[in-house]
Amino acid sequence: MEKLTIKDVDLKGKKVIMRVDFNVPIKDGKITDETRIKAALDTIQYTLDKGAKVILLSHLGRPKGEKNPQFSLKPVADRLGELLNNKVDFVDETRGPKVEKAVSELKDGEVLLIENTRFEKGETKNDPELAKYWASLADLHVNDAFGTAHRAHASNVGIANYIPSVAGFLMEKEIEFLQKAVENPEKPYVVILGGAKVSDKIGVINNLLNKADKILIGGAMMFTFLKALGKNVGSSLVEEDKLNVAKDILENAKAKGVEIVLPVDTVIAQKIEAGVEKKTVKIDDGIPEGWMGLDIGPESVSLFKEKISDAKTIVWNGPMGVFEIDDFAFGTEEVAKAIAEVTKKGCISIIGGGDSAAAAEKFGLADEFSHVSTGGGASLEFLEGKELPGISSINEKKNLNERKFILAGNWKMNKTNTEAVEFVSKLVGQIKTEDKFEVIVCPPFTALEKVRDITSSSNIKVGAQNVYYEDKGAYTGEISVNILKDIGVEYVILGHSERRHIFQESDELINKKLKKVISSGLTPILCVGEQLEEREKGLTFNVVERQIKEAFYGLTEEEAKTIIIAYEPVWAIGTGKVATPNQAQEVHKFIRDLLKDIFNEEFAKKTTILYGGSIKPNNYLGLFGKPDIDGGLVGGASLTEDFVELADIMKEIIE
Ligand SMILES: Nc1ncnc2c1ncn2[C@@H]1O[C@H](COP(=O)(O)OP(=O)(O)O)[C@@H](O)[C@H]1O
Ligand SMILES: O=C(OP(=O)(O)O)[C@H](O)COP(=O)(O)O
């Protein structure tokens, strides 16, 4: 599924809280590498240009929940101001009146950076109170902190429980490139690994063994592999406890037909220092005791270059040697140049962050690759195939191939016929679905026919709020499916909480009505949801499970597949208390899993599950952006212009 990005949402006049990764190295108050600040500029500038107010959040270093001036973001604020050519307000607090005042004084197109998020103890614990507080400062969360995506912290992940979270351009680009490398790399696919430790890269190797054609290994980690093959590696850095892992990897690679390429020579010295005596030795001749390999040798460079030359996709993570010292930088520089060379010929080259990115920068080659990731740990975990919490928490675009999305308005006992006619005549002109989703209005019985007449020329459909299960006869005050069908009604709401609780409708009655509606060819919208006491007792899932199982009782898969489910927590209906996107998503996911148990995965995937309860345009994006929420059954907001705005939001976020 594709993520929602800042391009998909309306930013004008919005307060945007943007998580960036400004975790940059600072020495004596001076930023020594500003790559990450520069990488965030496009997203910040775009958001400002669209007329939003931007509140920036970032961590810096690991101050462990204490206020520590050494980790202040002040130098970053100054530099950001220069780079943006715009004033950047800085508040040396992470919450409280000073922050709130600065936020309230922000004007459209202005930017504010608040102090290091890790001065708060709750940040790294993903404390919900802290996340809720930061969310309360803004309308929208933009997540552009790819470097932090492997952390589930309050400022990047927790906050998305309370307001919609969309990706910035950097996040989007990182995902696009890394996803390609993990999911559908063009071949030949060459992976180049180096750096200090095998243990850091085992996950990546294991995951990429199923995808890569060749894996070239340099850096200190090569010596663990070489020792595992029985070579004499002298005093080189070896992880003795990983020798078996290295052997397993080599065997696995053979079984899978992946070529693992190890260096054939190495540059050795007795100390890791500039200017010391160094020699080149062949691996087969062994490294003398007291000497260690600190770079790959010239023959290995040629060998690696040859392996790189026809690549169509390259992932490089970890330097080939101690590149920080010029004497041992040759291998890394030559490999970097070779990658730059094939990139010119159309190869997609992706450089994992951390030291490889620093090396690319040092050799002036950073612009020569397709993508240099700003995340070290994050890109490694991505390449390992792990799910990154800082990506999962970003709202997704909806994919029309999976199931139908619906915006339904339940007018309840509101609007006279005159009012209904006036209102729906306006809706017809204003709501544009572009066939991406369905819009249903459910007026009182008395207005159904008139509303149907007006909407018949549009793609707005009409639903009833209730029906009885008998065909006709002595049922004073009731309406049958035939009466509805004759008017041209297509949908029927069943089991709404007001019918369950005010009119005492039982699960059994709802089951009978549901069967009748289905057999008559109408489409039911089945409402389920727990009351406040039930939620507080932890019974939400039990209640929802019972309501669904009882309603579905006796239905075949074929019959049940027409049902639309609406999860409406009773405590959120008409109370102004909306479920947080995560609370709602949790129950929607539970319902989908339950449907899988009742029927099967395909059935679960295809069933539309709506959320209902105090939906408003300002909370809908967060709810609808969640993967298992397929639209809304809207009460109060379906009686006003808000309904048009809700439809606009849906249009924007369906692919
Ligand atoms: N042969 C070697 N012996 C000792 N250290 C090495 C050797 N080759 C590379 N290194 C060191 O490994 C470090 C980078 O390792 P690592 O953090 O794993 O890379 P990355 O950050 O790119 O994932 C660099 O500081 C480099 O000096
Ligand atoms: O610098 C970072 O990670 P990285 O060094 O792995 O790229 C990120 O800002 C995350 O910081 P953290 O590793 O202190 O959580």
Side-chain angles (χ1 to χ4, degrees):
M1 252 194 184
E2 243 185 276
K3 294 286 169 187
L4 268 187
T5 76
I6 41 171
K7 281 229 159 123
D8 300 311
V9 289
D10 180 15
L11 295 165
K12 179 136 189 52
K14 295 268 163 66
K15 275 188 275 174
V16 169
I17 196 152
M18 187 184 292
R19 178 53 157 104
V20 287
D21 189 336
F22 283 163
N23 184 24
V24 290
I26 297 184
K27 220 174 164 193
D28 305 323
K30 281 247 162 321
I31 298 162
T32 54
D33 178 359
E34 57 190 31
T35 311
R36 281 183 169 165
I37 306 179
K38 286 186 171 158
L41 291 177
D42 280 353
T43 308
I44 300 172
Q45 192 61 56
Y46 174 88
T47 312
L48 294 173
D49 290 347
K50 291 281 169 191
K53 308 167 174 71
V54 176
I55 307 147
L56 293 169
L57 294 179
S58 177
H59 75 285
L60 176 70
R62 294 178 177 172
K64 304 207 160 78
E66 304 292 336
K67 248 188 144 174
N68 179 344
Q70 212 188 317
F71 294 101
S72 172
L73 279 170
K74 177 75 173 72
V76 174
D78 295 341
R79 183 66 188 129
L80 178 65
E82 288 167 16
L83 290 169
L84 280 175
N85 213 358
N86 198 338
K87 188 166 87 66
V88 174
D89 286 327
F90 177 72
V91 180
D92 61 354
E93 301 274 339
T94 42
R95 67 163 111 187
K98 237 168 134 176
V99 169
E100 288 147 35
K101 183 164 178 283
V103 170
S104 71
E105 286 170 0
L106 265 185
K107 298 198 184 69
D108 292 355
E110 287 186 351
V111 58
L112 162 76
L113 173 65
I114 71 172
E115 190 49 288
N116 191 341
T117 52
R118 288 193 187 167
F119 285 0
E120 291 279 352
K121 285 199 171 53
E123 161 71 331
T124 53
K125 296 192 182 104
N126 195 4
D127 172 28
E129 282 313 309
L130 181 62
K132 199 170 175 178
Y133 172 75
W134 281 330
S136 75
L137 300 175
D139 309 303
L140 176 75
H141 180 239
V142 172
N143 188 344
D144 214 21
F146 177 75
T148 319
H150 55 319
R151 313 280 181 218
H153 293 173
S155 62
N156 65 331
V157 171
I159 202 164
N161 292 339
Y162 305 96
I163 48 174
S165 181
V166 303
F169 296 129
L170 174 62
M171 181 66 90
E172 189 187 18
K173 182 168 180 243
E174 294 269 13
I175 296 173
E176 185 194 324
F177 276 99
L178 290 162
Q179 199 149 298
K180 200 164 174 8
V182 174
E183 283 172 13
N184 54 348
E186 215 182 308
K187 300 205 157 215
Y189 180 12
V190 178
V191 175
I192 307 164
L193 297 175
K197 291 189 192 153
V198 181
S199 44
D200 287 347
K201 315 255 154 99
I202 294 169
V204 178
I205 301 178
N206 283 334
N207 193 33
L208 296 185
L209 267 183
N210 297 313
K211 290 148 187 149
D213 299 299
K214 298 171 201 167
I215 301 183
L216 320 186
I217 297 178
M221 66 186 275
M222 72 194 209
F223 297 107
T224 303
F225 282 90
L226 292 170
K227 184 156 185 185
L229 288 172
K231 308 285 179 198
N232 186 355
V233 298
S235 311
S236 304
L237 200 62
V238 166
E239 283 175 270
E240 296 287 344
D241 61 336
K242 292 290 176 294
L243 291 173
N244 282 333
V245 172
K247 268 188 205 145
D248 287 349
I249 289 174
L250 292 168
E251 270 169 31
N252 249 333
K254 205 178 258 166
K256 294 187 169 169
V258 177
E259 188 186 358
I260 295 216
V261 185
L262 288 161
V264 289
D265 58 352
T266 173
V267 178
I268 59 171
Q270 285 168 299
K271 270 195 219 151
I272 307 185
E273 252 177 52
V276 293
E277 185 194 352
K278 61 172 187 174
K279 311 192 245 196
T280 298
V281 294
K282 292 212 185 319
I283 296 296
D284 283 342
D285 295 340
I287 300 174
E289 216 31 62
W291 291 72
M292 54 192 145
L294 296 175
D295 193 8
I296 57 172
E299 273 185 46
S300 309
V301 167
S302 304
L303 176 67
F304 279 19
K305 280 187 166 175
E306 182 210 318
K307 302 287 175 190
I308 290 168
S309 63
D310 65 343
K312 282 275 174 277
T313 307
I314 293 181
V315 164
W316 174 34
N317 196 305
M320 297 293 101
V322 183
F323 75 98
E324 297 92 336
I325 300 173
D326 289 345
D327 295 303
F328 310 111
F330 180 75
T332 306
E333 182 166 7
E334 288 302 304
V335 164
K337 279 188 194 156
I339 302 172
E341 213 46 52
V342 272
T343 307
K344 281 200 197 101
K345 293 194 279 174
C347 167
I348 304 259
S349 55
I350 300 157
I351 314 300
D355 283 300
S356 334
E361 190 70 38
K362 174 177 163 147
F363 306 129
L365 293 168
D367 296 335
E368 309 286 316
F369 307 111
S370 314
H371 181 63
V372 180
S373 177
T374 55
S379 66
L380 266 183
E381 291 198 19
F382 199 118
L383 294 170
E384 281 173 40
K386 285 190 186 159
E387 184 178 328
L388 306 191
I391 294 180
S392 310
S393 58
I394 300 171
N395 292 170
E396 275 160 8
K397 281 197 191 177
K398 300 291 186 183
N399 178 351
L400 264 178
N401 297 327
E402 272 189 348
R403 54 187 165 264
K404 258 208 283 199
F405 303 111
I406 295 174
L407 178 66
N410 175 12
W411 294 4
K412 306 190 180 179
M413 199 171 73
N414 292 296
K415 292 198 192 291
T416 61
N417 273 14
T418 318
E419 289 163 345
V421 166
E422 190 194 339
F423 181 64
V424 90
S425 307
K426 269 202 246 157
L427 286 190
V428 166
Q430 289 175 307
I431 289 188
K432 303 271 175 286
T433 66
E434 288 168 12
D435 291 331
K436 289 178 167 181
F437 59 101
E438 219 146 83
V439 173
I440 308 166
V441 288
C442 304
F445 286 133
T446 44
L448 280 172
E449 189 164 14
K450 280 196 182 312
V451 168
R452 177 64 281 183
D453 286 347
I454 298 165
T455 56
S456 58
S457 60
S458 74
N459 50 11
I460 297 179
K461 312 253 190 253
V462 177
Q465 298 172 19
N466 185 25
V467 76
Y468 196 55
Y469 64 83
E470 292 289 357
D471 283 331
K472 60 176 165 183
Y475 303 100
T476 306
E478 291 295 325
I479 299 277
S480 73
V481 288
N482 290 334
I483 299 176
L484 297 179
K485 281 173 70 177
D486 183 57
I487 298 173
V489 167
E490 291 175 59
Y491 293 85
V492 184
I493 299 175
L494 291 176
H496 189 276
S497 74
E498 285 147 20
R499 298 232 47 97
R500 289 180 190 263
H501 301 295
I502 303 174
F503 302 102
Q504 313 301 324
E505 288 198 5
S506 65
D507 287 325
E508 197 190 345
L509 177 65
I510 293 162
N511 173 253
K512 282 186 181 162
K513 291 183 174 188
L514 193 62
K515 283 180 173 156
K516 185 71 202 178
V517 166
I518 294 170
S519 67
S520 72
L522 294 174
T523 303
I525 302 174
L526 169 70
C527 302
V528 296
E530 80 289 5
Q531 293 179 281
L532 185 60
E533 312 86 83
E534 292 164 335
R535 171 162 281 264
E536 283 170 350
K537 283 189 196 144
L539 294 174
T540 301
F541 292 159
N542 307 52
V543 172
V544 168
E545 179 169 350
R546 191 205 73 229
Q547 291 172 337
I548 290 182
K549 281 192 168 159
E550 300 274 319
F552 275 53
Y553 183 75
L555 290 175
T556 63
E557 182 184 341
E558 195 52 31
E559 289 166 333
K561 80 180 182 202
T562 59
I563 302 174
I564 293 159
I565 294 176
Y567 167 60
E568 299 209 304
V570 182
W571 49 271
I573 300 177
T575 57
K577 271 192 211 160
V578 62
T580 65
N582 260 31
Q583 281 174 327
Q585 164 59 23
E586 194 184 26
V587 182
H588 280 236
K589 168 100 178 33
F590 172 80
I591 294 173
R592 209 174 295 287
D593 289 344
L594 180 66
L595 297 177
K596 195 157 65 181
D597 288 347
I598 298 177
F599 292 115
N600 52 58
E601 187 151 8
E602 190 58 16
F603 180 92
K605 217 164 88 180
K606 292 219 147 26
T607 303
T608 297
I609 309 176
L610 310 177
Y611 168 81
S614 297
I615 291 178
K616 297 271 175 318
N618 68 5
N619 57 33
Y620 192 50
L621 183 58
L623 289 158
F624 186 51
K626 291 288 169 190
D628 289 298
I629 302 180
D630 308 322
L633 177 54
V634 185
S638 73
L639 300 168
T640 66
E641 289 283 311
D642 281 352
F643 199 60
V644 179
E645 249 187 86
L646 295 173
D648 283 342
I649 292 172
M650 289 186 75
K651 200 167 54 193
E652 277 169 8
I653 75 175
I654 300 174
E655 276 177 52

